[in-house]
Amino acid sequence: MNYKLEFPLSPELENYRDRIEATIKPYIEIQTNNEDVNWWQSKFGGLPYLPKGFEYPKTPDGKYLFLLAQLNFDEIPPLDGFPDRGILQFYIADDDVYGLDFDNYANVDNSAVEPKFKIIYFPQPDLQVENIITNYDFLPEPQYFPVQGCYGLQFTKKYAPISTSDYQFTEILGSEIEELFMNSEIEDEYLEISQSVGHKIGGYPNFTQEDVRKYSSNPEQKQKLDILLLQMDTDCNETVDIMWGDTGVGNFFIDESALRELDFTEVLYNWDCA
């Protein structure tokens, strides 16, 4: 499907309109709120939906992982390739690097190394409270965790072109466009158009440093892990406290074919900060 920018561009960017529009993708913008959420609803932080008898996720050395995000796709606008129902959960370790493995972001190069993060998908959640775990007294208080508290989520479908930090940006739009960004006003204009910051599902990512997929993706690798499964950004104000290190951002990526098959066994996880 061909998407269009329904607004004028500066003369400098107008020359690139066709190329920019060719990269436009739909994505789901996520806004946090302080509304109470139940066991099944989408949330950042808090306690998860888990059926009774389900083994709570742990690190390879037996320490508990903590719920970073829970997405209930019954609440989310349709997005091609993504589930249309079910609950998807993201867990990470409570350590000073939030469970990140700097030598193996995706756990695909060395399957013997078990990651300190976990993705769990429940295609048909049980909606009977008597059938789920509701007592989590066994969980300790996390000491290192980007989300302080629990936040409800609201979802809006939007569209945006490729972000400047995406590793394919120069390849797709051409290296000469970067010369335009020597003019800060043009760069700011494009950053506003691309809408790369914030919480989102799908679309293009934001990085405070550089795109780690530049090193993890290659033509011979079967899975490219190019679909942005979830981006959780730093989000701090009077009512929300989400902080990745020093105002950083966390990202999860998956291969398109694996996503369509609802196979979340191989996911690339990264976070970085300024």
Side-chain angles (χ1 to χ4, degrees):
M1 184 178 294
N2 295 324
Y3 301 100
K4 301 294 183 182
L5 298 173
E6 302 297 335
F7 48 81
L9 299 173
S10 63
E12 293 84 357
L13 286 181
E14 189 64 46
N15 293 328
Y16 294 88
R17 176 181 284 273
D18 290 345
R19 275 188 265 179
I20 293 172
E21 290 180 337
T23 70
I24 294 177
K25 285 183 180 180
Y27 70 98
I28 305 299
E29 178 188 76
I30 304 174
Q31 295 288 339
T32 53
N33 61 57
N34 287 97
E35 297 178 5
D36 291 336
V37 291
N38 63 32
W39 296 107
W40 300 272
Q41 287 178 296
S42 300
K43 64 185 79 173
F44 284 169
L47 298 172
Y49 157 84
L50 287 177
K52 285 183 177 178
F54 191 92
E55 184 177 357
Y56 190 92
K58 297 178 181 179
T59 66
D61 56 0
K63 295 180 180 179
Y64 292 111
L65 298 172
F66 289 85
L67 181 69
L68 180 72
Q70 176 170 291
L71 302 176
N72 186 331
F73 280 91
D74 283 333
E75 305 168 349
I76 300 172
L79 192 62
D80 183 48
F82 283 76
D84 56 8
R85 65 177 182 175
I87 291 176
L88 184 64
Q89 299 172 335
F90 300 76
Y91 295 83
I92 62 173
D94 177 38
D95 58 30
D96 56 0
V97 291
Y98 307 143
L100 189 63
D101 183 346
F102 295 98
D103 295 320
N104 193 14
Y105 294 97
N107 195 38
V108 295
D109 297 325
N110 183 2
S111 59
V113 179
E114 189 176 346
K116 293 184 178 181
F117 71 94
K118 194 172 186 66
I119 313 298
I120 299 175
Y121 178 62
F122 297 99
Q124 294 181 313
D126 189 326
L127 302 182
Q128 302 300 315
V129 68
E130 61 269 22
N131 295 332
I132 66 173
I133 300 172
T134 58
N135 184 347
Y136 287 91
D137 289 345
F138 58 87
L139 283 180
E141 286 292 326
Q143 295 181 332
Y144 310 94
F145 204 66
V147 182
Q148 303 300 313
C150 177
Y151 306 103
L153 306 178
Q154 294 175 302
F155 305 97
T156 306
K157 192 171 187 176
K158 294 190 172 183
Y159 302 83
I162 190 169
S163 61
T164 58
S165 58
D166 190 290
Y167 78 104
Q168 297 183 95
F169 176 79
T170 301
E171 177 184 345
I172 292 174
L173 293 187
S175 58
E176 62 273 13
I177 196 173
E178 292 189 330
E179 298 177 10
L180 296 179
F181 293 166
M182 296 179 66
N183 181 327
S184 60
E185 292 184 0
I186 297 176
E187 181 179 22
D188 289 344
E189 177 188 3
Y190 190 86
L191 291 174
E192 184 175 352
I193 293 170
S194 63
Q195 296 292 315
S196 63
V197 300
H199 315 303
K200 63 170 64 176
I201 301 167
Y204 296 98
N206 179 52
F207 297 91
T208 61
Q209 297 187 30
E210 61 180 339
D211 192 337
V212 296
R213 296 174 299 163
K214 182 189 306 182
Y215 309 106
S216 64
S217 297
N218 61 72
E220 297 179 357
Q221 185 170 297
K222 181 180 179 181
Q223 295 196 312
K224 290 183 65 65
L225 306 169
D226 271 349
I227 302 297
L228 181 59
L229 190 57
L230 174 67
Q231 175 169 291
M232 182 189 290
D233 212 336
T234 287
D235 186 359
C236 288
N237 54 51
E238 293 180 354
T239 59
V240 179
D241 188 358
I242 300 175
M243 176 69 74
W244 292 88
D246 182 11
T247 61
V249 60
N251 311 86
F252 295 84
F253 298 90
I254 191 170
D255 179 76
E256 181 177 5
S257 61
L259 177 59
R260 290 186 182 276
E261 294 170 4
L262 302 178
D263 178 1
F264 299 97
T265 55
E266 293 187 353
V267 171
L268 186 156
Y269 161 51
N270 176 71
W271 72 271
D272 60 13
C273 62

